[in-house]
Amino acid sequence: MDRLVWWLLSLVTLYDFIPGLISRVFGFRVFRRGRAEREIAITFDDGPNPLYTPQLLDLLKKHDAKATFFVVGAKAEKHPDIIKRMYDEGHSLGIHNYVHRSNWIMSPRTVKRQVQRTSDAIFAITGRRPIYYRPPWGILNLFDFSLLRHYQIVLWSGMFGDWKVKPGAETLYRKMRKQLAPGEVFVLHDCGTTFGADEEAPAHMLLALERILQDGDRMGLRYVGIGELMEITETMKADEKERKTQGGQAAAARRKTGPGKRLVVAVWMLWEKLFHVLFRLKPIDNGQFMHYRIIRYSGPELAMDGGVRLKRGDRLLEMHFDNGKMYEIGMNAKSSVHVAIRVIREVQHALPSLAKEIRRIDKEGRIKGLYGVSTINRGAEGLGFETFALPKGIFSFLTQRYLKLLMSIIHPEGGGRVRKHSDTIEPRCIVMSRERALAWESGEKPAEISEAYRAKRPNL
């Protein structure tokens, strides 16, 4: 009997407690807290609720705040209109099992079935499958890591007991206010019908949340979906890593900029000015980083997301980076990754202006989208671009030689780095459809772009 008890305790420890410990304490395979300068993620569990969730969506819309909803599949099926509203208003959707039942008391097969059924319910309503998962009560079992490997498991950095009435709105507000800072992941509850919760509790949560949103607005915080916070976190980590590991190499490379290279750069900048005149490039944002011209597409037909097809003769807004600005970025960057990050950030900053320019110059809707060719294309998908290999031919050959020469000039480690990795430096077409480009007009990254990008990278 004692041996049987020992074996049962060992099994429970292995199946339940150890996975919970390593995920919640050590953060194994889960996302709990981000790193950001302004962004914070507020997440909601257990809904949707027909009374409180619409009030919550009204409140979020009032403050232009985006959130992440981990929904219960059975409730999603009962209230598809609320799920559709969440999706249409740019919020992120995640899975919270089909019924609110702990993974500790379910077999691995049952957990997988619960998750799949909820995914099917959300897909039927929105046309897109969720990629985020939060187990009820944040409890994982041993097999969740492998069976749910295609989902990003999300926990939290702040929990405030808002599922009970007892704390009240004032206490909830004070608890949240203490932890209100960039990078935090709050978990709140928009439904009080779950076992152990109080049905009226979300009313107190909404009162406290309204004050938190007001405070965040005054502090300059941005309330974003969990996917955007994860992207920002990844970028900041990569940036820091590159600063630590390759800062010395870049500094040495900058010190080696001799008179020969300075002459090449001077000639290059003269050619840059001539190029702008010959091809009649027009500036975006006063020409700080990007210029453009309208062209006719002359390549092979391209099939893009959303059923858009780019055909020969279609009008495009062709983007051109300012090489003077690129040189400045390269000379002040710590590494090639740092160059790419800076360029992506500059492009993101320019996209709202590009959208407004398309709207201004093309009221008839003849411009099919944005187009460019660049060797710095890694990460472009995260902004809504699609990348395509250049078709083989003389244009591809000359473009590759030209862009490698450009990279050897602007690269922080010089031409040696480019020669060493010449086989991996591949110029590619970067294309964005008109509809996706115009979605940037508000100045904020469209939520569907972040979700689409993550859907292609499910194992982050």
Side-chain angles (χ1 to χ4, degrees):
M1 185 67 178
D2 290 343
R3 181 172 293 182
L4 177 61
V5 171
W6 184 87
W7 276 107
L8 286 173
L9 287 174
S10 299
L11 181 61
V12 170
T13 300
L14 180 63
Y15 186 71
D16 293 337
F17 292 105
I18 291 179
L21 179 69
I22 64 175
S23 63
R24 299 184 73 167
V25 176
F26 300 104
F28 176 73
R29 277 288 319 277
V30 302
F31 183 80
R32 298 177 301 164
R33 177 185 277 110
R35 297 178 60 180
E37 295 179 355
R38 296 175 52 210
E39 290 73 19
I40 181 171
I42 298 183
T43 67
F44 297 91
D45 289 1
D46 299 359
N49 178 276
L51 174 61
Y52 294 113
T53 306
Q55 295 179 43
L56 171 59
L57 290 170
D58 289 342
L59 179 60
L60 294 171
K61 188 173 183 179
K62 177 181 175 183
H63 290 271
D64 194 26
K66 302 302 181 213
T68 304
F69 291 86
F70 291 93
V71 301
V72 175
K75 295 177 182 178
E77 289 180 340
K78 288 181 181 177
H79 307 289
D81 54 324
I82 300 179
I83 299 297
K84 186 66 164 59
R85 182 182 170 187
M86 292 173 180
Y87 177 78
D88 289 344
E89 294 184 0
H91 302 292
S92 302
L93 288 164
I95 295 170
H96 203 48
N97 284 358
Y98 186 77
V99 295
H100 199 281
R101 186 178 300 156
S102 171
N103 291 16
W104 279 7
I105 61 174
M106 294 190 293
S107 69
R109 189 174 183 181
T110 301
V111 172
K112 187 175 182 179
R113 196 161 51 237
Q114 289 254 333
V115 171
Q116 185 60 47
R117 194 172 177 184
T118 306
S119 176
D120 292 343
I122 295 173
F123 179 77
I125 299 167
T126 67
R128 178 164 294 162
R129 293 195 179 275
I131 58 174
Y132 308 114
Y133 174 66
R134 175 177 287 161
W137 297 288
I139 295 173
L140 296 161
N141 67 49
L142 179 64
F143 296 96
D144 287 342
F145 298 117
S146 59
L147 292 179
L148 304 176
R149 63 185 180 276
H150 296 305
Y151 293 92
Q152 172 62 62
I153 300 172
V154 179
L155 296 183
W156 55 81
S157 60
M159 175 184 277
F160 312 101
D162 67 303
W163 58 89
K164 302 294 287 185
V165 169
K166 185 177 179 180
E170 182 62 32
T171 299
L172 283 177
Y173 166 72
R174 289 200 302 268
K175 287 182 177 179
M176 286 192 279
R177 187 63 180 84
K178 287 180 181 178
Q179 214 166 322
L180 187 63
E184 296 291 335
V185 179
F186 285 4
V187 57
L188 299 170
H189 301 78
D190 57 324
C191 182
T193 60
T194 305
F195 175 76
D198 294 334
E199 194 166 347
E200 301 82 15
H204 298 271
M205 180 274 292
L206 287 169
L207 291 172
L209 178 63
E210 183 167 21
R211 295 175 64 185
I212 287 296
L213 293 174
Q214 291 169 353
D215 289 350
D217 290 343
R218 285 191 290 268
M219 295 166 63
L221 296 178
R222 290 181 60 239
Y223 295 95
V224 300
I226 199 70
E228 185 170 351
L229 181 59
M230 292 175 70
E231 286 182 24
I232 293 168
T233 300
E234 291 171 8
T235 298
M236 292 187 72
K237 286 182 176 179
D239 204 351
E240 182 179 352
K241 183 178 179 181
E242 292 301 323
R243 279 200 306 271
K244 289 180 178 179
T245 60
Q246 299 189 24
Q249 296 177 18
R254 288 194 294 274
R255 287 193 295 269
K256 292 179 181 177
T257 304
K261 183 168 183 176
R262 286 196 294 270
L263 177 61
V264 171
V265 171
V267 172
W268 195 275
M269 291 304 109
L270 286 175
W271 161 244
E272 173 84 356
K273 293 178 180 179
L274 180 60
F275 183 88
H276 283 213
V277 172
L278 290 174
F279 292 95
R280 298 181 180 180
L281 300 187
K282 298 178 181 179
I284 289 290
D285 282 342
N286 297 319
Q288 290 297 308
F289 180 73
M290 189 177 289
H291 294 72
Y292 79 92
R293 62 174 179 157
I294 305 302
I295 65 165
R296 295 275 189 176
Y297 179 64
S298 59
E301 183 173 316
L302 299 178
M304 302 167 65
D305 287 346
V308 178
R309 302 192 77 84
L310 186 60
K311 300 177 182 178
R312 185 180 294 269
D314 285 341
R315 290 175 182 264
L316 292 169
L317 187 150
E318 185 180 60
M319 304 171 293
H320 290 267
F321 299 157
D322 186 284
N323 286 335
K325 183 70 173 178
M326 290 285 287
Y327 178 71
E328 179 184 329
I329 289 173
M331 288 299 98
N332 290 285
K334 309 298 188 295
S335 70
S336 56
V337 173
H338 197 207
V339 170
I341 290 171
R342 285 287 310 278
V343 170
I344 290 297
R345 286 178 179 170
E346 292 285 353
V347 173
Q348 181 170 354
H349 177 75
L351 279 170
S353 297
L354 284 167
K356 292 173 183 176
E357 189 71 1
I358 291 176
R359 188 84 70 181
R360 185 185 70 83
I361 66 176
D362 184 41
K363 293 180 173 57
E364 297 82 10
R366 291 181 294 177
I367 295 177
K368 202 74 173 282
L370 305 178
Y371 174 85
V373 178
S374 177
T375 57
I376 304 175
N377 46 61
R378 186 177 180 182
E381 293 92 345
L383 300 180
F385 288 99
E386 297 175 64
T387 67
F388 300 89
L390 289 175
K392 300 295 184 183
I394 187 64
F395 176 76
S396 174
F397 176 81
L398 294 176
T399 300
Q400 191 161 13
R401 295 299 181 274
Y402 173 83
L403 291 177
K404 283 184 178 180
L405 175 60
L406 175 61
M407 285 296 292
S408 70
I409 293 173
I410 68 170
H411 202 285
E413 296 167 36
R417 170 81 176 185
V418 174
R419 287 189 295 273
K420 182 179 178 182
H421 297 278
S422 61
D423 56 334
T424 62
I425 297 176
E426 178 192 9
R428 293 178 67 85
C429 300
I430 54 174
V431 186
M432 184 186 296
S433 68
R434 177 191 181 90
E435 180 182 4
R436 211 171 246 190
L438 292 179
W440 279 94
E441 197 168 6
S442 66
E444 298 290 339
K445 178 187 286 191
E448 65 95 6
I449 290 177
S450 294
E451 297 304 314
Y453 175 50
R454 285 206 161 269
K456 297 177 182 178
R457 304 165 64 211
N459 293 322
L460 289 172

